[in-house]
């Protein structure tokens, strides 16, 4: 009996040590990704902070890149310079794409920016007497990334509402990183995210 308690103690201790280790790894990776994202927009951010003149052409380079699009909009908004943001990227689809790309890069998900991404469909779901909307994308990575073998996978961004703005925060941005395009319909994936992610937040 004493040996059983010792074994249980070792197992519990191992789990606790692992959880603590994962927590610190997660925090370290989160900080690294945050620094990387900030470094990507550092030139334009520095100009804004120093009150230097910024042209629309300068902003366009950051807005067209789905890695920096969302943060570019945010810093322009903070400095009351939204008029510099390109109109062609001032859409919910553009904001949703950037949100998904940034979410996938986060350490606990795909762990990288997808190599290719395409908008598939806007899905309407009736909920509590209102319509909510989700945007479904397909994305893929190239070798040697572990997800390359899965080909095109599905990602969902939302919920959005009738009065949502292009860069409103989509609280249920999600991908199972296993839902393959062609095997699961975009509408079914959006419904899964709505039920299992959005409604549980």
């Amino acid at each position: 009996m004493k040996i059983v308690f010792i074994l249980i103690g070792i197992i519990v201790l191992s789990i606790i040590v692992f959880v603590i280790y994962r927590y610190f790894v997660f925090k370290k990776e989160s900080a690294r990704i945050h620094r990387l994202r900030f470094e990507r927009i550092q030139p334009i951010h520095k100009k804004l902070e120093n009150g230097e003149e910024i042209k629309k052409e300068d902003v366009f380079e950051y807005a067209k890149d789905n890695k920096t699009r969302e943060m570019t909009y945010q810093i322009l908004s903070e400095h009351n310079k939204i008029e510099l943001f390109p109109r062609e990227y001032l859409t919910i689809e553009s904001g949703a794409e950037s949100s998904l790309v940034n979410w996938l890069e986060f350490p606990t998900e795909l762990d990288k920016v997808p190599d290719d991404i395409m908008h598939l469909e806007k899905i309407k779901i009736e909920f509590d007497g209102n319509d909510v909307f989700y945007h479904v994308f397909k994305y893929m990575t190239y070798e040697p990334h572990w997800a390359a073998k899965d080909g095109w996978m599905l990602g969902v961004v939302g919920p959005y509402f009738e009065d949502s703005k292009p860069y409103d925060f989509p609280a249920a941005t999600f991908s199972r990183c296993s839902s393959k395009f062609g095997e699961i319909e975009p509408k079914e994936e959006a419904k899964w995210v709505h039920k299992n992610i959005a409604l549980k937040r």
Side-chain angles (χ1 to χ4, degrees):
M1 184 63 88
K2 196 173 183 180
I3 294 174
V4 172
F5 282 122
I6 291 171
L7 288 174
I8 291 172
I10 291 171
I11 291 169
V12 170
L13 183 62
S14 298
I15 292 170
I16 292 170
V17 169
F18 177 75
V19 168
I20 292 171
Y21 168 76
R22 287 299 304 158
Y23 172 79
F24 283 107
V25 167
F26 173 81
K27 293 287 282 184
K28 185 177 178 182
E29 277 299 295
S30 295
R32 183 185 67 80
I33 291 294
H34 184 73
R35 281 195 307 273
L36 174 63
R37 287 178 183 161
F38 187 74
E39 285 169 8
R40 289 172 181 158
I41 62 159
Q42 180 64 12
I44 193 171
H45 183 261
K46 189 175 180 182
K47 283 187 175 182
L48 285 166
E49 287 294 306
N50 293 336
E52 297 176 35
E53 182 185 2
I54 297 178
K55 298 178 181 177
K56 285 189 175 183
E57 307 88 75
D58 300 327
V59 174
F60 185 83
E61 294 305 310
Y62 293 93
K64 76 175 184 179
D65 187 338
N66 56 26
K67 296 188 300 297
T68 54
R69 183 181 303 149
E70 188 176 35
M71 193 170 275
T72 299
Y73 181 90
Q74 289 169 356
I75 64 165
L76 286 174
S77 179
E78 288 169 9
H79 288 83
N80 298 311
K81 298 282 187 181
I82 287 300
E83 71 277 3
L84 297 174
F85 196 84
R87 293 186 64 84
E88 55 263 52
Y89 295 110
L90 202 55
T91 66
I92 285 180
E93 289 84 352
S94 293
E97 179 186 318
S98 188
S99 182
L100 180 59
V101 164
N102 288 324
W103 186 89
L104 289 168
E105 188 182 30
F106 199 71
T108 56
E109 317 309 339
L110 193 67
D111 203 20
K112 82 178 294 289
V113 170
D115 293 304
D116 202 354
I117 185 168
M118 293 177 62
H119 183 261
L120 291 176
E121 199 172 338
K122 177 183 178 182
I123 306 293
K124 179 173 77 171
I125 296 175
E126 292 181 18
F127 173 67
D128 203 22
N130 296 301
D131 292 334
V132 294
F133 303 92
Y134 291 85
H135 289 269
V136 183
F137 294 81
K138 66 176 184 177
Y139 65 90
M140 69 181 303
T141 60
Y142 301 147
E143 294 287 358
H145 191 268
W146 60 265
K149 66 182 186 314
D150 295 318
W152 289 102
M153 295 171 286
L154 297 176
V156 179
V157 186
Y160 292 99
F161 308 92
E162 292 285 1
D163 59 349
S164 289
K165 303 293 187 295
Y167 289 85
D168 285 352
F169 176 68
T173 299
F174 196 78
S175 174
R176 291 189 271 184
C177 295
S178 61
S179 298
K180 296 182 184 179
F181 174 66
E183 293 183 3
I184 299 176
E185 290 298 315
K187 188 167 187 176
E188 294 308 309
E189 191 68 2
K191 284 181 177 178
W192 187 94
V193 168
H194 179 71
K195 179 181 177 182
N196 295 281
I197 306 299
L199 296 185
K200 293 185 178 179
R201 288 187 184 270

